[in-house]
Amino acid sequence: MKRPLLILLGAVCVLSATAAGAQTTAAVAADTKTADVVRIALILSLMAIVPALLISMTSFVRIIVVLSMIRHAFGMPETPPNQVLISLALFLTAFSMMPTIEAVNGRALQPFLAGELGVQQAVDAGSSPARDFMLRQVRDQDIRTVYEIARKPPPDRAQDVSLVQLVPAFMLNELRVAFRIGFVVLLPFLLIDLVVSSILLALGMIMVPPSTLSLPIKVLMFVLIDGWSLVLQGVLGSFR
């Protein structure tokens, strides 16, 4: 009588252990699946704000503003088309930001995709290279201006500057440098317009639009001096 009872108790224990093990395995699998779903959702959410980050925290602003000013200097607001300028600006941004991109990928993106870092850790690790790049470009005056607008005291060290204040200060600096480069680019084209207008006025050809003659001269001059290469080298060389 005792032997069947012991066998029955042993079978019950084995079944209980098997059920508990199955529940534990199912729980671990469910947690893993939930973590993967959350990670994918976060990645998709971050992709939605990538355009804003591309514009505000990279060299894109300076490059696209200079390229747009060159187009207006010719007097051709639609040539080259916007798609061409944006594509060129994106590639030049990738060239100038390649060390920063590689640092973000190695420190934050790949460890996050592999599950080695959490969301907050990945954000902190990824923002550090971008912060270093922006701090190399921005002036102390721009940072003080943003803090004065925010009505907050500026920090004693550059490493303590918040991203909320650093990003607009960086964009102010980018606009300032882009307009400075744009002025240097626009000046020769302005001189060509003045010379052509003076010649037409001296010849009494008042009814002839100056742009009709100045545009071919501008294009010829820009091609002869290899203007696109000079401008792009100057823009990329302005980054520290």
Side-chain angles (χ1 to χ4, degrees):
M1 186 66 181
K2 293 181 179 180
R3 187 174 180 181
L5 182 60
L6 292 175
I7 294 175
L8 181 60
L9 291 175
V12 171
C13 291
V14 171
L15 291 175
S16 300
T18 304
Q23 291 178 356
T24 303
T25 304
V28 172
D31 293 340
T32 304
K33 186 175 180 180
T34 302
D36 293 338
V37 171
V38 172
R39 189 177 293 111
I40 293 173
L42 289 174
I43 293 174
L44 293 177
S45 300
L46 290 175
M47 290 179 63
I49 63 173
V50 164
L53 297 178
L54 175 65
I55 294 175
S56 60
M57 300 178 64
T58 66
S59 56
F60 181 81
V61 173
R62 185 186 305 186
I63 296 172
I64 193 64
V65 169
V66 172
L67 294 179
S68 299
M69 295 184 75
I70 293 176
R71 181 172 65 179
H72 286 283
F74 279 107
M76 300 184 296
E78 300 298 332
T79 305
N82 290 330
Q83 294 85 350
V84 175
L85 293 185
I86 293 175
S87 300
L88 180 59
L90 287 174
F91 278 103
L92 294 177
T93 301
F95 293 154
S96 61
M97 297 287 298
M98 189 57 65
T100 303
I101 295 173
E102 292 177 350
V104 172
N105 182 62
R107 298 180 188 178
L109 182 58
Q110 294 302 325
F112 175 73
L113 295 177
E116 300 174 0
L117 295 179
V119 178
Q120 187 61 41
Q121 294 174 334
V123 171
D124 294 338
S127 61
S128 179
R131 176 193 295 272
D132 294 339
F133 172 78
M134 290 188 289
L135 286 174
R136 288 197 303 268
Q137 315 302 325
V138 73
R139 299 183 308 170
D140 294 339
Q141 180 60 38
D142 297 326
I143 296 178
R144 284 195 295 268
T145 301
V146 173
Y147 271 93
E148 289 176 0
I149 295 174
R151 298 181 181 178
K152 293 182 178 180
D156 297 331
R157 300 186 308 167
Q159 290 74 13
D160 297 332
V161 178
S162 173
L163 280 176
V164 179
Q165 281 77 33
L166 179 58
V167 171
F170 171 73
M171 295 187 71
L172 287 176
N173 177 77
E174 293 299 286
L175 291 174
R176 177 183 58 83
V177 177
F179 273 73
R180 181 181 297 178
I181 297 174
F183 170 77
V184 177
V185 172
L186 287 173
L187 191 58
F189 294 98
L190 176 62
L191 293 177
I192 292 176
D193 288 333
L194 292 176
V195 170
V196 171
S197 299
S198 300
I199 293 175
L200 291 177
L201 184 61
L203 294 177
M205 304 173 63
I206 303 177
M207 302 301 295
V208 178
S211 59
T212 304
L213 298 179
S214 63
L215 178 58
I217 298 175
K218 292 177 184 178
V219 174
L220 177 62
M221 182 198 71
F222 203 70
V223 171
L224 290 178
I225 65 174
D226 196 9
W228 287 111
S229 298
L230 293 177
V231 171
L232 297 184
Q233 289 176 1
V235 173
L236 294 182
S238 63
F239 292 101
R240 296 192 291 268

